[in-house]
Amino acid sequence: GGTHPFTYQWFKNGTSVAGATLVSYQIPVAAAADSGQYTVRVSNASGSTTSPAASIFVGTVPQITTHPVGQTVALNGSVSFSVVANGDPVPTYRWRRDGVVINGATRATLNLPGLTGYDEGSYSVEVSNGTLIPAQTIVSNPAVLTVQRLAQTISFAALPARTNQDAPFTVAATASSGLPVAFSVVSGPATVSGSTVTLNGAGTVTLRASQAGSYEYAAATPVDQAFTVSIVRVAQPITFAALPAKTSLEAP
């Protein structure tokens, strides 16, 4: 405000900027050297006044130079994922597993101790520079973590032959891990619910015992047992009434 006309002179860090004598000053392509304190002196016939300084920082977008690498680690072991990135100002980090942000994981290195199968997944990290306008964020390549779980075996005893008249019966198997075993019918005239088998006819039935694993144990190799189901025929009487005597001259 004041009495027109006005003249303008822009300054960077207290030094006048050559040719910057308009009401606005533009830098078409900003570079790091353009960072500084900018002021403008406005003058008229009565005097001049200088604006407060506008602080300008020109940074660089973040770039990842080294991406995290996938690893295979033993159960209860530990792993470290690291990323190397640059940018000005120094970027921030946010790690994710299978796309979900990990609370508190905000450093260039992610340390995971005491691993179980729960920790398996695809790990990546967001590298951000939120002080830039607009904010800049890039995401690293995924690093897959595989945990070597403990092996387990299944004990499933041979099954005796049956008949089609047998009532439903139960089967049993155990896993060395102590985890529960599941049963299924591979082939044959039978159905299974839990550990109860119901026969639906005659033939050869093959049952499978399996254990899918857990965070600590890998899936067990399934074990199959086959048994035969034979047909039991029920005796049936025939009623045939006595026939009267006949002569050779009778009609059919």
Side-chain angles (χ1 to χ4, degrees):
T3 303
H4 291 267
F6 297 141
T7 61
Y8 305 89
Q9 176 62 59
W10 289 86
F11 295 83
K12 174 190 173 186
N13 296 332
T15 301
S16 61
V17 179
T21 57
L22 300 178
V23 67
S24 63
Y25 173 51
Q26 294 183 341
I27 302 173
V29 181
D34 295 312
S35 297
Q37 303 291 316
Y38 286 82
T39 56
V40 60
R41 184 175 64 202
V42 184
S43 303
N44 65 6
S46 301
S48 64
T49 185
T50 300
S51 72
S55 179
I56 303 299
F57 175 78
V58 181
T60 56
V61 298
Q63 291 183 327
I64 296 175
T65 57
T66 302
H67 292 262
V69 177
Q71 300 182 51
T72 299
V73 182
L75 182 71
N76 296 321
S78 61
V79 69
S80 292
F81 291 116
S82 297
V83 65
V84 178
N86 55 39
D88 188 15
V90 176
T92 59
Y93 306 94
R94 189 166 66 165
W95 287 87
R96 309 183 303 188
R97 185 184 73 184
D98 297 331
V100 179
V101 172
I102 303 172
N103 292 334
T106 57
R107 298 179 180 273
T109 298
L110 174 65
N111 296 313
L112 300 173
L115 296 174
T116 69
Y118 172 82
D119 300 298
E120 287 187 330
S122 178
Y123 288 81
S124 59
V125 57
E126 297 175 0
V127 181
S128 303
N129 209 325
T131 60
L132 300 181
I133 302 175
Q136 302 290 319
T137 298
I138 56 176
V139 180
S140 73
N141 296 337
V144 176
L145 172 63
T146 302
V147 177
Q148 292 179 327
R149 308 182 198 191
L150 299 175
Q152 60 171 328
T153 58
I154 292 176
S155 298
F156 187 19
L159 299 172
R162 301 276 176 173
T163 73
N164 64 329
Q165 297 297 317
D166 287 352
F169 61 94
T170 59
V171 291
T174 59
S176 60
S177 63
L179 296 171
V181 176
F183 298 95
S184 59
V185 176
V186 178
S187 61
T191 58
V192 62
S193 176
S195 60
T196 300
V197 179
T198 301
L199 302 176
N200 302 319
T204 299
V205 176
T206 300
L207 296 181
R208 174 167 294 170
S210 59
Q211 213 303 308
S214 66
Y215 291 143
E216 294 184 357
Y217 287 90
T221 300
V223 177
D224 293 349
Q225 292 291 358
F227 61 95
T228 59
V229 182
S230 59
I231 296 177
V232 174
R233 290 181 170 85
V234 179
Q236 57 178 331
I238 295 178
T239 302
F240 191 13
L243 299 175
K246 299 289 183 175
T247 71
S248 62
L249 297 177
E250 292 187 41

